C-alpha cells in the first residue's frame, strides 16, 4: 500500500526519471552529506523528524553560502565592477535554477521573496487589493496553514470581501463537491495548499485549478510542504501563483519563491517601493521596473537565492522520483508501526499523503510527548502546527507530528516508536 | 537531565486527577490564559471574600505540566490572603526561572515544579496558570446574573 504522493498523477516531472539505484541503498552516503545528522542531542544521536517545520542543509548548500561570501559578494544589479557582476550572475543564475525547477516559462515569473508567508501576502495585497470589491469572495480550504488564511482575512477586511472555506472530511481530504459548490459570480481567487502541513494530505490541485478556471478564477497554491517531496510543473498544472520557502527544501531560511503567471504579474502594481523596483524616479513620478524586479524592492537576500539554487541542484541530483519512492516507504512503515502503539490515533488518513504523520496518544499531551522525545534526541513538532482551524475540526488543541525527509531511515522511525511507547507508559 | 525530575509523581498525579477542576459562577472573577505555543487554554475562576481567596477553580485542557501546575496552584492558594498569594507567585517565578534559587519551605507541594527550570521550553506551561490567576484577580468582579 502506498500512501505517498503519486508524482505522475499530479504533475509531469521535469526531472528525468532516474535509472539510478533506489535511494535507500545510498542512505549512508546521503546522510553524510548533512553534517547535522551526525550530531548528538542530550547524549543521543539526533533523530530529526521535524522536516515539515524546517529541513536540514547538505554540505553543498553550506559551501555555496560560504563560497558566495568568500568569493562573490557585492550588491546586485548596481555596479559595473567585477564582483557586482559576479553576484548578479549568481543571483540571476539562481532564478534560472528555480525556473527550471518549477518549469516556469520565463524568469520574469520567478520573484524572490522571504518565504511562503511573504509570497502570499504579496499576492493578496498586489493582486487582490486593487481588484476586490465589497461582496467579492475568496475561497480557502479548512486545511490551510495560518499563512494562507490570515493574509486573505486581512484583504477581506480591507476590501469588504468575504473568505469562504472549502470543507474537509474526517480523513483530512478536500471535499471536491463542496468546493465546487462554493464558486459564485463573486469568487475572485482560490487559495489552496498543495500538501497540508498539519496532516500531510495531498490535495488534487490540478482538478481544483481546472475547476476554478472554469469559473474564471485564478488560483494560488501554497507549495511549502510539497516541493520537498514531489516535482511541480506550473505549466502542466496551469497554475496562476505557486509559492514555497527555501528552508523547507534543504535551503536557507529567509528566501522563498513566488511564481506568478506573467500576464497576471504584469498587471499587478508593485507591493513595496524602493531601489531595484524602479526604472526612473523623479518627484513628479516614478516608472516601475520590469518583471520580476518590480516586486523585489531593495537589496534582496542574494546568498539566500544562491543557497536555494544549491539546494535545488542537490535535490535534482538525488531525484524527486527516488525521493518520492523512499518517502512512501517511510510513510507506510511509520504508519504501520505507530498504529501498533496502544492508545495512539493517527490524525489525517487521506488516501494521498506526503511523508508526515500527525498523531495523538491517549492520556499524553503532545507537549509532554515532545519533551520526552527530545530527551531521546528525537525532534518532532508538537502543537497546532499554525493550523488552528484544522485542530478545531478534529476537536484537538494539539497533535504530535513526525515529518520525514529523504534522509530519514527506518531505524529512526523505530527510535520514534520506542520513545512514544515509553512516554505512553510513563503516563499510564 | 532526568525526565523523572520533571514528571515527578506529584505532577503525574495532579495531571491525572486535577483538584478544584471546574467553573465558578459570577460574582466570581474569571480570566482566560492562552499558551500560543501549543494552543492550550486555561480558565481560572476566583471567589474573593474581602482580601482572602475563598474559592478557586480552573478548567481547560493542557499538557501535564500546565494541568498539574494549575491544580497545585488551586490547592496552595485557596484560603490565602492576596498578599500571601502574591508571595507564592513570586516564589514560584523564582523557582521556575532561577537555577540557583533555594526552594522556600512555604511552597510545600509546589516545590515539585522545580524540575521545570531544567526545561526552558516548558516554563510557560507551568507559569500560565499563575499569570491567569493574576489577570482574574485584576478583573472587575462581574455582576451575578440571576436566572430565577
Ligand atoms: C503549508 C505551509 N504554508 C506556509 C508556511 C509558512 O512558511 P514560512 O514560514 O516559510 O513563510 C508553512 C510553514 O510552516 C507551511 O507548512
Amino acid at each position: 500500500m502506498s500512501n505517498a504522493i503519486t508524482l505522475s498523477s499530479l504533475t509531469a516531472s521535469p526531472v528525468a526519471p532516474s535509472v539510478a539505484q533506489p535511494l535507500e541503498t545510498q542512505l549512508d552516503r546521503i546522510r553524510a552529506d548533512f553534517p547535522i545528522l551526525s550530531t548528538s542531542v542530550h547524549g543521543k544521536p539526533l533523530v530529526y523528524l521535524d522536516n515539515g517545520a524546517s529541513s536540514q542543509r547538505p554540505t553543498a548548500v553550506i559551501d555555496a553560502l560560504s563560497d558566495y561570501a568568500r568569493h562573490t559578494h557585492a550588491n546586485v544589479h548596481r555596479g559595473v565592477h567585477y564582483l557586482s557582476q559576479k553576484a548578479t550572475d549568481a543571483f540571476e543564475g539562481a532564478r534560472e535554477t528555480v525556473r527550471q525547477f518549477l518549469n516556469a516559462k520565463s524568469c520574469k515569473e520567478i520573484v524572490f521573496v522571504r518565504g511562503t508567508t511573504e509570497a502570499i501576502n504579496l499576492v493578496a495585497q498586489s493582486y487582490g487589493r486593487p481588484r476586490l470589491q465589497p461582496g467579492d469572495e475568496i475561497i480557502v480550504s479548512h486545511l490551510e496553514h495560518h499563512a494562507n488564511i490570515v493574509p486573505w482575512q486581512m484583504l477581506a477586511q480591507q476590501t469588504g470581501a468575504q473568505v469562504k472555506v472549502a470543507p474537509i472530511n474526517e480523513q483530512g481530504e478536500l471535499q471536491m463537491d463542496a468546493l465546487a459548490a462554493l464558486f459564485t459570480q463573486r469568487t475572485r481567487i482560490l487559495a489552496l495548499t498543495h500538501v497540508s502541513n498539519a496532516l500531510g494530505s495531498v490535495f488534487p490541485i490540478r482538478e481544483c485549478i481546472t475547476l476554478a478556471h472554469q469559473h474564471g478564477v485564478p488560483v494560488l497554491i501554497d507549495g511549502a510542504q510539497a516541493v520537498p517531496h514531489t516535482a511541480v510543473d506550473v505549466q502542466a498544472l496551469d497554475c496562476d501563483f505557486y509559492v514555497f520557502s527555501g528552508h523547507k527544501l534543504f535551503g536557507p531560511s529567509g528566501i522563498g519563491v513566488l511564481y506568478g503567471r506573467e500576464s497576471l504579474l504584469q498587471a499587478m502594481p508593485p507591493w513595496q517601493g524602493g531601489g531595484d523596483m524602479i526604472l526612473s524616479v523623479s518627484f513628479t513620478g516614478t516608472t516601475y521596473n520590469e518583471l520580476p524586479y518590480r516586486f523585489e524592492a531593495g537589496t534582496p537576500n542574494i546568498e539566500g537565492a544562491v543557497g536555494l539554487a544549491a539546494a535545488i541542484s542537490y535535490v535534482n541530483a538525488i531525484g524527486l522520483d527516488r525521493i518520492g519512492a523512499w518517502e512512501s516507504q517511510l510513510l507506510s512503515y511509520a504508519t504501520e508501526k505507530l498504529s501498533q502503539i496502544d492508545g495512539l490515533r493517527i490524525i489525517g488518513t487521506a488516501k494521498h499523503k506526503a511523508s508526515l504523520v500527525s498523531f495523538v496518544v491517549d492520556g499524553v499531551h503532545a507537549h509532554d510527548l515532545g519533551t520526552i522525545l527530545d530527551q531521546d534526541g528525537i525532534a518532532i513538532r508538537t502543537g497546532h502546527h499554525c493550523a488552528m482551524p484544522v485542530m478545531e475540526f478534529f476537536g484537538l488543541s494539539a497533535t504530535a507530528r513526525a515529518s520525514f525527509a529523504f534522509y530519514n531511515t527506518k531505524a529512526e522511525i523505530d527510535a520514534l516508536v520506542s520513545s512514544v511507547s515509553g512516554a505512553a507508559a510513563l503516563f499510564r | 537531565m532526568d525526565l523523572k525530575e520533571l514528571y515527578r509523581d506529584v505532577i503525574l498525579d495532579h495531571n491525572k486527577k486535577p483538584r478544584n477542576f471546574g467553573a465558578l459562577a459570577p460574582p466570581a472573577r474569571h480570566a482566560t490564559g492562552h499558551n500560543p505555543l501549543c494552543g492550550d487554554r486555561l480558565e481560572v475562576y476566583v471567589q474573593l471574600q474581602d482580601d482572602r481567596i475563598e474559592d478557586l477553580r480552573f478548567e481547560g485542557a493542557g499538557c501535564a505540566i500546565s494541568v498539574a501546575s494549575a491544580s497545585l496552584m488551586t490547592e496552595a492558594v485557596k484560603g490565602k490572603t492576596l498578599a500571601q498569594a502574591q508571595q507564592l507567585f513570586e516564589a514560584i517565578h523564582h523557582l521556575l526561572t532561577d537555577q540557583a534559587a533555594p526552594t522556600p519551605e512555604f511552597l510545600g507541594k509546589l516545590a515539585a515544579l522545580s524540575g521545570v527550570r531544567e526545561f526552558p521550553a516548558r516554563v510557560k506551561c507551568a507559569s500560565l496558570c499563575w499569570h491567569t490567576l493574576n489577570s482574574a484577580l485584576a478583573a472587575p468582579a462581574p455582576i451575578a446574573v440571576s436566572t430565577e
Side-chain angles (χ1 to χ4, degrees):
Chain A
M1 181 198 70
S2 165
N3 288 324
I5 303 176
T6 25
L7 300 179
S8 53
S9 75
L10 291 172
T11 55
S13 166
V15 180
S18 173
V19 289
Q21 300 290 310
L23 189 151
E24 55 269 36
T25 61
Q26 300 167 338
L27 258 185
D28 286 346
R29 216 204 63 213
I30 287 170
R31 287 179 66 82
D33 289 339
F34 292 79
I36 210 168
L37 295 182
S38 53
T39 60
S40 297
V41 169
H42 306 312
K44 308 269 173 59
L46 169 67
V47 173
Y48 190 76
L49 304 178
D50 195 18
N51 297 285
S54 204
S55 52
Q56 299 299 346
R57 300 151 193 193
T59 305
V61 169
I62 298 167
D63 287 351
L65 293 171
S66 148
D67 286 350
Y68 172 81
R70 285 173 198 282
H71 305 296
T72 309
H73 176 65
N75 212 327
V76 290
H77 307 136
R78 292 185 191 183
V80 293
H81 61 79
Y82 172 77
L83 280 180
S84 175
Q85 193 52 52
K86 203 172 162 190
T88 303
D89 289 349
F91 187 62
E92 293 307 321
R95 199 187 307 275
E96 170 59 19
T97 302
V98 172
R99 184 199 68 74
Q100 287 177 25
F101 183 65
L102 296 176
N103 193 32
K105 252 188 216 146
S106 153
C107 277
K108 292 180 185 169
E109 300 179 316
I110 305 298
V111 179
F112 282 120
V113 291
R114 222 153 39 87
T116 305
T117 304
E118 185 169 86
I120 298 171
N121 278 280
L122 192 162
V123 174
Q125 291 302 312
S126 172
Y127 177 82
R129 195 162 180 183
R131 272 181 190 72
L132 266 62
Q133 303 291 324
D136 281 350
E137 293 162 2
I138 302 156
I139 303 178
V140 302
S141 87
H142 205 125
L143 209 42
E144 300 306 315
H145 187 282
H146 295 164
N148 204 21
I149 300 175
V150 183
W152 304 115
Q153 289 176 328
M154 290 165 66
L155 174 64
Q157 216 154 39
Q158 290 156 346
T159 59
Q162 181 196 350
V163 177
K164 290 169 120 186
V165 182
I168 52 172
N169 61 20
E170 286 292 325
Q171 287 72 48
E173 294 165 329
L174 185 63
Q175 303 207 282
M176 287 300 285
D177 293 350
L179 170 64
L182 284 181
F183 284 91
T184 72
Q185 296 289 323
R186 304 304 302 265
T187 310
R188 294 293 173 259
I189 191 153
L190 169 65
L192 282 182
T193 195
H194 190 168
V195 172
S196 156
N197 70 308
L199 307 181
S201 323
V202 180
F203 278 3
I205 57 166
R206 187 146 68 178
E207 284 91 318
C208 296
I209 292 169
T210 305
L211 175 69
H213 286 179
Q214 282 163 3
H215 293 88
V217 172
V219 182
L220 176 139
I221 299 294
D222 172 354
Q225 296 292 341
V227 288
H229 308 293
T230 184
V232 171
D233 180 333
V234 290
Q235 292 189 66
L237 288 168
D238 199 22
C239 195
D240 301 289
F241 299 104
Y242 195 99
V243 302
F244 69 90
S245 300
H247 69 97
K248 296 184 200 279
L249 186 63
F250 318 101
S253 58
I255 187 76
V257 171
L258 162 64
Y259 159 82
R261 191 191 291 280
E262 187 178 345
S263 56
L264 292 175
L265 289 180
Q266 221 36 286
M268 286 159 55
W271 184 44
Q272 293 176 329
D276 269 346
M277 53 73 69
I278 47 83
L279 280 182
S280 70
V281 176
S282 77
F283 287 109
T284 52
T286 289
T287 313
Y288 301 134
N289 204 343
E290 58 198 44
L291 294 177
Y293 311 109
R294 190 194 301 166
F295 295 105
E296 293 178 354
T299 301
N301 183 354
I302 311 168
E303 57 261 66
V306 168
L308 172 59
I312 290 174
S313 301
Y314 182 85
V315 166
N316 285 342
I318 294 199
L320 278 163
D321 48 349
R322 291 202 303 155
I323 289 174
W326 175 234
E327 288 183 348
S328 116
Q329 287 192 51
L330 288 176
L331 175 64
S332 303
Y333 188 74
T335 304
E336 182 196 324
K337 293 285 170 183
L338 283 169
S339 304
Q340 288 165 5
I341 297 175
D342 223 18
L344 186 145
R345 184 159 58 99
I346 291 178
I347 308 298
T349 48
K351 195 138 117 237
H352 295 291
K353 264 180 84 170
S355 56
L356 173 171
V357 184
S358 224
F359 59 94
V360 292
V361 183
D362 278 351
V364 192
H365 190 279
H367 227 187
D368 297 309
L369 207 52
T371 294
I372 294 168
L373 267 58
D374 178 58
Q375 290 302 301
D376 287 337
I378 303 170
I380 59 160
R381 174 86 184 263
T382 60
H384 54 61
H385 317 296
C386 298
M388 290 174 90
V390 184
M391 296 294 115
E392 204 188 319
F393 177 84
F394 288 99
L396 301 166
S397 68
T399 73
R401 180 190 73 183
S403 51
F404 311 111
F406 58 82
Y407 46 60
N408 287 127
T409 66
K410 289 186 178 172
E412 289 180 308
I413 292 170
D414 291 338
L416 167 73
V417 169
S418 142
S419 192
V420 172
S421 306
L426 178 67
F427 281 87
R428 249 156 226 156
Chain B
M1 266 173 283
D2 186 0
L3 276 173
K4 265 282 162 199
E5 274 298 294
L6 181 63
Y7 295 111
R8 295 183 196 177
D9 289 339
V10 180
I11 306 265
L12 293 174
D13 174 53
H14 275 256
N15 174 50
K16 234 180 187 168
K17 290 176 287 190
R19 323 293 200 267
N20 301 304
F21 195 84
L24 288 174
R29 294 152 202 259
H30 163 236
T32 305
H34 289 274
N35 187 340
L37 195 67
C38 51
D40 287 340
R41 237 177 86 150
L42 197 69
E43 313 285 344
V44 172
Y45 303 85
V46 53
Q47 178 67 57
L48 282 179
Q49 181 70 48
D50 303 321
D51 78 333
R52 190 169 295 278
I53 295 173
E54 194 179 63
D55 201 2
L56 179 68
R57 303 262 176 98
F58 84 102
E59 271 186 328
C63 65
I65 304 301
S66 72
V67 170
S69 178
S71 173
L72 287 164
M73 175 186 81
T74 59
E75 277 195 340
V77 165
K78 212 164 164 172
K80 297 281 194 305
T81 64
L82 288 175
Q84 287 169 324
Q86 187 58 33
Q87 191 192 16
L88 281 171
F89 178 89
E90 278 160 24
I92 274 285
H93 183 75
H94 276 290
L95 185 78
L96 292 178
T97 54
D98 185 354
Q99 300 284 346
T103 307
E105 279 291 324
F106 66 84
L107 275 179
K109 267 203 243 170
L110 287 170
L113 289 165
S114 66
V116 176
R117 63 184 170 206
E118 305 287 340
F119 298 81
R122 305 302 300 277
V123 169
K124 270 197 181 142
C125 306
S127 62
L128 178 66
C129 58
W130 289 91
H131 290 290
T132 312
L133 171 62
N134 260 1
S135 316
L137 289 172
I143 312 296
V145 182
S146 164
T147 48
E148 350 170 56

